[in-house]
Amino acid sequence: MTERRPGAGGILLRAATVLGPLFLAVLLGVPLLALLLRVPAADVLGRLAEPEVLRALRLSLFTSAVATGLVVLLGLPTAYLMASRRFPGKRVIEVILDLPMVLPPTVAGFALLLAFGRNGLLGSTLGAFGVTLPFTTLAVVVAQVFMAVPFFVAPVRAGFGAVERRYLDAAATLRAGEGYTFRRVMLPLSLPSVLAGTGMAWARALGEFGATITFAGNLPGRTQTMPLAVYVDLQGDLDRAVALSVLLLLMSAILLLALRYSPVGLFGRKTDAPLHR
């Protein structure tokens, strides 16, 4: 029996499976490698002792942690609602929840300024209570929450939706209330997605730049997070900008590796199993 030769489509597919990953490896890998090779590891550690770097690092860790906590607190019931209910206007809410993922960050920051600025839609109301958001540390948190929400809600909603109905039906037959079923059945089964969403939201908040600089400004020690410090140092201290960039890169890589190789895997499943054996 003669071996069947691949047609033109098969040849193109094989070529694409070689050239596509190779091109992406060069496009994504070479810039990251260039960044890592630009500064010795000892210089990165030495830069961490500088007051400006420490202020930006502390502020980034604090605001991103608070923002992630708020995203989880507000996003968890939202994801549950979107996964378990049908109601008028649901599609509109879905678009609103996903919009920050594709919205240019500077536009998001400008929208926040128009909403919560001193003369914004809600700014005057907040001012009556003595609350001022723009160009404060709280504004940094708000901008990070705004941009990180879809990165949490989307995977958690998918995790809730993937819970098999028979488990929920079994809980209902035992007369378990909705709150008990959520805590003891749905949430544990969806925990991998919740953890993955939390990690992705934290990474997005940590790397937020455009909305932050537009809505919160770039005040050292007050609103200048690490991405903003990189932007400033690119114009004055290139070595420090590289050191900060490497630090952000390492933090993001460690987070993704922890999610990918955790016992539950990224988004709760292992994705390295081949389609064909």
Side-chain angles (χ1 to χ4, degrees):
M1 181 180 294
T2 59
E3 183 179 356
R4 183 179 179 182
R5 296 182 178 179
I11 295 175
L12 289 175
L13 179 61
R14 292 183 181 182
T17 57
V18 173
L19 297 177
L22 180 61
F23 179 78
L24 287 180
V26 173
L27 181 64
L28 301 179
V30 171
L32 298 179
L33 182 63
L35 185 62
L36 292 173
L37 295 178
R38 178 63 174 77
V39 59
D43 289 352
V44 175
L45 296 177
R47 291 287 184 175
L48 289 177
E50 297 183 4
E52 297 84 356
V53 176
L54 284 176
R55 282 199 300 265
L57 177 59
R58 283 195 298 262
L59 184 64
S60 290
L61 293 177
F62 172 74
T63 55
S64 62
V66 174
T68 303
L70 290 173
V71 167
V72 174
L73 181 65
L74 302 175
L76 199 62
T78 302
Y80 176 71
L81 173 68
M82 302 303 292
S84 61
R85 298 286 193 277
R86 293 182 180 179
F87 51 88
K90 181 177 179 179
R91 296 298 183 186
V92 176
I93 297 178
E94 288 176 345
V95 172
I96 293 174
L97 289 173
D98 293 338
L99 195 58
M101 196 179 296
V102 297
L103 191 68
T106 50
V107 175
F110 185 53
L112 288 171
L113 197 59
L114 292 178
F116 301 108
R118 182 171 299 178
N119 298 318
L121 289 178
L122 297 178
S124 57
T125 303
L126 293 175
F129 293 94
V131 178
T132 302
L133 278 182
F135 310 109
T136 64
T137 303
L138 183 57
V140 177
V141 175
V142 172
Q144 291 174 344
V145 169
F146 186 94
M147 299 303 298
V149 161
F151 291 87
F152 176 81
V153 173
V156 175
R157 179 188 174 188
F160 287 157
V163 174
E164 295 187 25
R165 186 68 195 180
R166 58 192 178 96
Y167 296 119
L168 305 179
D169 292 339
T173 58
L174 297 174
R175 297 183 179 180
E178 185 177 10
Y180 183 88
T181 302
F182 174 78
R183 294 192 311 270
R184 301 302 297 271
V185 179
M186 181 167 281
L187 189 58
L189 292 176
S190 306
L191 187 59
S193 297
V194 174
L195 294 178
T198 303
M200 296 300 291
W202 181 78
R204 183 64 186 87
L206 184 66
E208 165 50 34
F209 172 81
T212 302
I213 197 171
T214 307
F215 182 51
N218 187 21
L219 307 175
R222 188 175 181 184
T223 65
Q224 188 181 85
T225 57
M226 290 181 66
L228 272 63
V230 171
Y231 174 76
V232 172
D233 288 334
L234 282 173
Q235 305 171 46
D237 192 339
L238 184 60
D239 290 337
R240 187 162 65 191
V242 173
L244 283 169
S245 299
V246 170
L247 183 59
L248 278 171
L249 172 62
L250 293 177
M251 293 171 66
S252 300
I254 291 172
L255 175 62
L256 289 177
L257 287 173
L259 290 173
R260 180 63 181 84
Y261 294 104
S262 67
V264 298
L266 188 62
F267 296 108
R269 63 180 184 275
K270 297 300 182 183
T271 57
D272 52 2
L275 294 175
H276 304 285
R277 297 187 180 278

